[in-house]
Amino acid sequence: MTATSAPHQLVPLLLVLNNVLVVLFQVPFACFGATPHAARTSLWPLACAFLLGGAALAASTVVDAPWFAAVTLVLAATAFTVAEMLHATISWELSVVLAPPTAQGAYLGVHGLAQAVQRSAGPLAVTAAIAAGPLGWLGLGAGLAAMCGAQRHLVRDRGDGALSVVPVTVSEH
């Protein structure tokens, strides 16, 4: 919060906002991953949430008005919370539905590995965005949005059928 003119007292309120949004909307957001089509379609709103969150964080640093910084930080927290819930729903649905019945363990293992990479690389990406300033936040939001677009393209090309993989599971090796 040192790069904005927002009051420091806003920080705990943003954490409360995140928790309240998750409690209220996590279950209703499950509809965005109810089917493979819904999950693929929901990648666009996910991309928009990432881009909006990055843009709002960037905007919070460029205007020297506490009210503006507070509003943009609330917007960023809301956008990234929505992105968090959408991502959880979409990624779980796609990791399950794209796996052929004989390789679900392998696919879910890769899904778990991707989550571990996110937990490891995420703090580095956020630190880089902080160090780069407003352009860093825009870049982070745009980069995450671009990954959503690429994922949507890759998933779309797979169709609704099973992926072509060797019909064995990890446990059979």
Side-chain angles (χ1 to χ4, degrees):
M1 297 277 292
T2 59
T4 72
S5 58
H8 292 282
Q9 296 85 350
L10 185 62
V11 174
L13 296 176
L14 294 175
L15 294 173
V16 170
L17 173 66
N18 173 270
N19 286 308
V20 168
L21 290 174
V22 169
V23 167
L24 292 176
F25 295 108
Q26 184 71 51
V27 172
F29 271 39
C31 70
F32 293 106
T35 66
H37 177 73
R40 281 193 309 267
T41 303
S42 298
L43 285 164
W44 286 127
L46 176 59
C48 290
F50 279 135
L51 191 56
L52 178 63
L57 280 174
S60 73
T61 66
V62 296
V63 176
D64 192 26
W67 69 268
F68 184 80
V71 167
T72 55
L73 289 173
V74 167
L75 180 61
T78 302
F80 280 124
T81 301
V82 166
E84 172 189 5
M85 292 184 290
L86 283 174
H87 179 263
T89 301
I90 293 167
S91 68
W92 183 257
E93 172 65 16
L94 292 178
S95 70
V96 171
V97 77
L98 293 179
T102 57
Q104 285 183 337
Y107 277 63
L108 291 176
V110 170
H111 180 258
L113 179 62
Q115 290 177 334
V117 169
Q118 289 171 357
R119 285 190 298 273
S120 299
L124 296 173
V126 170
T127 300
I130 291 169
L135 288 179
W137 289 117
L138 281 174
L140 180 65
L144 292 169
M147 285 187 237
C148 292
Q151 183 180 9
R152 188 176 192 285
H153 176 73
L154 292 170
V155 171
R156 185 189 71 226
D157 289 346
R158 301 293 188 198
D160 288 329
L163 298 174
S164 58
V165 296
V166 180
V168 295
T169 63
V170 173
S171 62
E172 293 176 357
H173 286 262

